[in-house]
């Protein structure tokens, strides 16, 4: 993870090949750091270490914001970039496509974790609300019905790992 992200210059126009190269390199560097962070998050969620994965969220949001600013600058300077550094544009497109694949995997892992946790909570709620009365001798008879009956008195155990 990069200690400090290079800030993309806010000037909207690129006039030289060096400026074009610098803009593309800054965006690629940010995309690389963001990809690394998303990959770490995906691995942590797969391992069930959700707390550690959530700790990366502020940095991920920061990098995503910097990346989006860079993409906007690239759009504003598309003609100049295509003229000055067409090979870097191809490299950026390839990196962006790889990042999209990484995001799809990340979203699938997050959706799976969410579905699993929702199912666990739903099953626990249903189990906790199910009456726990012993059946008596008749079809509708219950033992212990009355003031002292405890319909939801059962042990409850929750595991923090997936």
């Amino acid at each position: 993870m990069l200690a400090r992200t290079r800030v993309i210059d806010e000037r909207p126009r690129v006039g030289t090949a060096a400026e074009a190269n610098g803009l593309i390199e800054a965006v690629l560097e940010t995309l690389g750091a963001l990809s690394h962070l998303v990959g770490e998050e995906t691995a942590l969620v797969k391992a069930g270490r959700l707390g550690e994965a959530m700790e990366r969220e502020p940095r991920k949001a920061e990098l995503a914001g910097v990346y989006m600013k860079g993409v906007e600058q690239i759009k504003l300077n598309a003609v100049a970039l295509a003229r000055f550094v067409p090979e870097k544009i191809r490299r950026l497109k390839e990196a962006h496509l790889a990042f999209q694949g990484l995001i799809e995997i990340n979203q699938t892992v997050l959706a799976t974790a969410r579905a699993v946790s929702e199912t666990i909570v739903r099953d626990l709620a249903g189990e906790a609300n199910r009456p726990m009365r012993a059946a008596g001798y008749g079809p509708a008879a219950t033992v212990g019905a009355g003031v002292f009956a405890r319909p939801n008195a059962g042990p409850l155990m929750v595991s923090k790992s997936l």
Side-chain angles (χ1 to χ4, degrees):
M1 184 156 85
L2 295 174
R4 187 160 198 237
T5 301
R6 200 166 35 166
V7 177
I8 296 174
D9 191 5
E10 294 296 327
R11 290 178 288 156
R13 299 291 173 215
V14 169
T16 66
E19 289 175 348
N21 191 45
L23 175 60
I24 297 291
E25 286 302 320
V27 173
L28 281 170
E29 182 180 326
T30 302
L31 183 58
L34 186 58
S35 296
H36 179 73
L37 203 59
V38 169
E40 282 182 351
E41 178 188 64
T42 302
L44 289 170
V45 171
K46 279 183 179 179
R49 295 164 41 192
L50 302 177
E52 288 180 51
M54 292 302 296
E55 290 173 3
R56 284 156 172 74
E57 187 62 33
R59 178 73 176 144
K60 186 172 78 169
E62 175 191 345
L63 287 171
V66 172
Y67 177 67
M68 290 310 297
K69 285 180 184 177
V71 169
E72 287 301 316
Q73 286 184 356
I74 287 172
K75 287 179 183 178
L76 287 171
N77 294 291
V79 174
L81 293 172
R83 184 178 62 205
F84 290 130
V85 286
E87 69 286 343
K88 296 263 184 179
I89 293 292
R90 281 190 290 280
R91 189 170 140 216
L92 180 63
K93 285 180 181 179
E94 290 169 2
H96 183 74
L97 287 174
F99 179 67
Q100 284 179 329
L102 186 62
I103 290 294
E104 288 177 14
I105 292 169
N106 180 267
Q107 292 299 312
T108 302
V109 168
L110 292 174
T112 301
R114 180 179 178 178
V116 167
S117 64
E118 285 176 352
T119 302
I120 290 170
V121 169
R122 191 177 309 114
D123 289 350
L124 281 173
E127 192 67 28
N129 288 325
R130 192 179 72 197
M132 298 287 190
R133 294 184 181 140
Y137 289 106
T142 58
V143 176
V147 178
F148 300 107
R150 296 179 56 204
N152 296 326
L156 178 66
M157 184 168 85
V158 177
S159 174
K160 290 186 176 182
S161 65
L162 291 176

